[in-house]
Amino acid sequence: MAKKMKIVTVCGCGLGSSLMAKTSIEKIMKEFGVTASIEASDAGTAKGYPSDLVVTTTMLKPRVGEIPGTPVVAVKSFMNVDELREVMRPHVEEFKKKNNM
Amino acid sequence: MTKINDTMDSLQNALPAEQINLNVCAHDWQEAVREAGQLLLKTDAIYPQYIDAMIQTAKELGPYIVIAKGIAMPHAASEAGVKRTALSLVKLAHPIEFGNPDNDPVELVIGLAAIDGKTHVNTMRMLAELIIDPDRLARLFAAQTKEEILQVIAQ
């Protein structure tokens, strides 16, 4: 079975927009042809989740900060599928390459 | 019991007509958030202190609550005074600046009360599907009556 890409979405409480982001990211990952497991989280606990990519918003990025070994990307809106796709693309491509997909 | 809860986790159930208000006048973002909170309070989804927590969260974390162009979704942590999972929708008479350079001004305020991190997962999925669908979103922004809003939600 193909390896799953682990993605963590981050919003302030892990209750609102990060859950909604799962919907838009699932759609994008389908387009990329990569299976993903997507977890919604808040800014504080995101650091504790090992993942392949952290996706947050520009407003919250300073709160998330740097996570050693995990790229953190930010979008203006989780609901903008085009913006999300472009921001995520290099990281999804790299994941595919790394896993010979 | 679980089954009943599962079917309740939908956008229609979370956002009934009495939690929607149109043509609401607010002078600043805090008033706009309070309006969305009042609808949740009136329908007994929250304790009064949850409204203050919504404002406090927005102050602490910044105007990240403007989740998409023209749409704010204020909320606070479940422990801040949530009685049951619910949404409210306020359509402002005049767009308001929340201080989010990317997505201001705000026309729609969606109040969110979540009892935990799980029971509203499907509701949020349905809300996200609505917002990422340009046709449905345009109809939501153009809606003039509760009935029109409920139709977009139910679609």
Side-chain angles (χ1 to χ4, degrees):
Chain A
M1 213 181 93
K3 197 171 177 254
K4 272 188 185 177
M5 185 167 177
K6 272 191 166 177
I7 300 172
V8 174
T9 59
V10 178
C11 72
C13 301
L15 291 174
S17 51
S18 60
L19 276 177
M20 292 165 75
K22 285 175 81 167
T23 304
S24 28
I25 290 176
E26 271 165 21
K27 198 176 148 133
I28 290 164
M29 295 307 284
K30 227 181 235 171
E31 292 172 12
F32 282 127
V34 176
T35 327
S37 70
I38 310 164
E39 288 284 336
S41 166
D42 62 83
T45 51
K47 288 175 194 264
Y49 283 72
S51 71
D52 298 303
L53 182 64
V54 171
V55 187
T56 187
T57 62
T58 44
M59 286 268 155
L60 284 177
K61 194 160 188 282
R63 287 232 159 203
V64 180
E66 302 274 320
I67 303 177
T70 306
V72 179
V73 294
V75 288
K76 291 171 186 167
S77 168
F78 282 136
M79 296 293 98
N80 186 334
V81 176
D82 293 333
E83 186 196 12
L84 260 177
R85 187 189 298 112
E86 287 323 301
V87 165
M88 289 176 61
R89 185 189 302 278
H91 300 283
V92 178
E93 297 295 345
E94 201 188 308
F95 178 84
K96 282 169 103 170
K97 218 156 86 187
K98 228 167 55 189
N99 293 285
N100 303 311
M101 292 161 85
Chain B
M1 200 62 204
T2 323
K3 276 219 162 108
I4 295 166
N5 280 330
D6 282 349
T7 56
M8 281 174 74
D9 182 11
S10 74
L11 191 53
Q12 290 97 314
N13 281 324
L15 188 53
E18 59 268 29
Q19 280 152 223
I20 299 172
N21 210 353
L22 287 94
N23 212 16
V24 173
C25 268
H27 297 95
D28 57 37
W29 72 267
Q30 294 201 27
E31 257 186 60
V33 171
R34 283 191 187 283
E35 291 287 347
Q38 281 302 329
L39 289 172
L40 295 171
L41 184 63
K42 223 170 64 185
T43 54
D44 207 30
I46 56 165
Y47 293 99
Q49 64 265 31
Y50 186 75
I51 300 178
D52 295 321
M54 285 164 114
I55 289 178
Q56 200 50 41
T57 305
K59 277 186 182 166
E60 275 167 26
L61 298 173
Y64 91 95
I65 59 167
V66 190
I67 54 160
K69 277 216 182 299
I71 305 175
M73 191 172 68
H75 59 287
S78 310
E79 312 79 65
V82 176
K83 287 190 190 176
R84 62 175 173 88
T85 295
L87 292 176
S88 65
L89 178 65
V90 165
K91 197 150 186 269
L92 296 169
H94 312 286
I96 294 237
E97 302 281 330
F98 272 56
N100 184 313
D102 301 317
N103 300 317
D104 269 345
V106 169
E107 250 180 278
L108 295 174
V109 185
I110 301 170
L112 164 66
I115 195 80
D116 57 34
K118 289 196 181 85
T119 47
H120 64 309
V121 167
N122 193 46
T123 297
M124 298 317 281
R125 163 177 296 278
M126 290 171 83
L127 181 60
E129 278 166 1
L130 193 171
I131 294 176
I132 60 182
D133 180 333
D135 293 333
R136 289 177 74 198
L137 186 62
R139 282 172 46 213
L140 186 64
F141 274 105
Q144 297 295 326
T145 63
K146 282 189 189 186
E147 288 66 35
E148 285 172 20
I149 289 178
L150 290 171
Q151 272 174 20
V152 181
I153 289 169
Q155 191 190 359

